[in-house]
Amino acid sequence: ISIYTYFREVVGPDSVRSIQPVQTSGDISVIQGDFKFSYTFLKHFILRAQAIYTTVEGSSADAIRVPELLLNGQLMYSNILYGGNLHLQLGVDFHQRSAYFANGYDPSTMQFYVQDEFEINSFPVIDIFLNVKINRGRAFLKFNNLNELIKGSGYFLTPFYPGQASVLDLGFDWILFD
């Protein structure tokens, strides 16, 4: 990436902070590699994993902030029961990323900006889900961020903006025509 324009927090006269556009003078290289794995065992259990490694190099690499490591995983039981009339999925999702200085958000300019003061900690997010399909109807039940209940604290997506709190989601739809 050359001649990249981004926003940065700038300290002006009298220590007044503002968000200003900045253009890089050097090049940026984003290098990313990932590993995916999927394994089915005992006919109905599925294990999926993904690891993404990212590094940002170059003389202006500080303009782009991404976590170095991102991990995703899923363990699921999936089966079709009652003569094909019930499709059931029950499982757990796992997401985690390494700690990094995520972009801050400035509501007055509605822009994300590069900041160096608030590091987003590495925090595992565990979700439990149930998906059901009965003939033409579908329903799901998902408990988001189970480990917030265990640890007693949540996580941040960007500085001062918390991520999904522990919550139970429920949804359904039913197709009323053939």
Side-chain angles (χ1 to χ4, degrees):
I1 302 170
S2 298
I3 314 172
Y4 180 66
T5 302
Y6 65 102
F7 286 84
R8 178 175 279 289
E9 187 175 46
V10 177
V11 179
D14 300 328
S15 298
V16 175
R17 295 175 179 239
S18 64
I19 307 302
Q20 299 290 324
V22 179
Q23 191 170 39
T24 62
S25 57
D27 291 335
I28 304 168
S29 296
V30 179
I31 302 163
Q32 187 176 68
D34 73 321
F35 170 78
K36 291 182 182 179
F37 171 80
S38 182
Y39 180 68
T40 302
F41 58 99
L42 300 175
K43 292 186 182 180
H44 302 289
F45 289 91
I46 302 167
L47 176 65
R48 293 184 182 129
Q50 179 183 27
I52 302 171
Y53 176 79
T54 306
T55 185
V56 181
E57 304 289 334
S59 58
S60 296
D62 195 43
I64 295 179
R65 303 288 174 87
V66 293
E68 185 177 27
L69 188 61
L70 176 66
L71 303 171
N72 295 312
Q74 182 181 73
L75 178 60
M76 175 177 60
Y77 171 79
S78 181
N79 200 353
I80 299 174
L81 306 167
Y82 302 111
N85 291 317
L86 173 67
H87 186 188
L88 174 74
Q89 293 179 329
L90 175 66
V92 60
D93 285 328
F94 171 83
H95 309 281
Q96 186 168 4
R97 64 175 173 240
S98 58
Y100 74 112
F101 288 95
N103 288 340
Y105 181 71
D106 181 40
S108 62
T109 60
M110 295 187 288
Q111 294 293 329
F112 285 93
Y113 63 93
V114 172
Q115 57 86 31
D116 297 315
E117 296 175 359
F118 191 114
E119 184 176 36
I120 304 298
N121 293 329
S122 179
F123 186 86
V125 178
I126 300 169
D127 303 330
I128 297 173
F129 65 90
L130 170 68
N131 299 322
V132 178
K133 182 179 178 194
I134 303 171
N135 292 330
R136 294 180 305 231
R138 295 181 299 179
F140 74 88
L141 186 64
K142 181 177 181 182
F143 191 85
N144 295 290
N145 198 3
L146 173 69
N147 53 324
E148 182 180 32
L149 290 179
I150 298 166
K151 292 183 81 175
S153 64
Y155 65 102
F156 288 95
L157 289 173
T158 195
F160 308 109
Y161 288 87
Q164 176 71 56
S166 292
V167 67
L168 183 65
D169 288 333
L170 169 67
F172 62 91
D173 70 344
W174 196 274
I175 300 172
L176 300 175
F177 58 88
D178 287 331

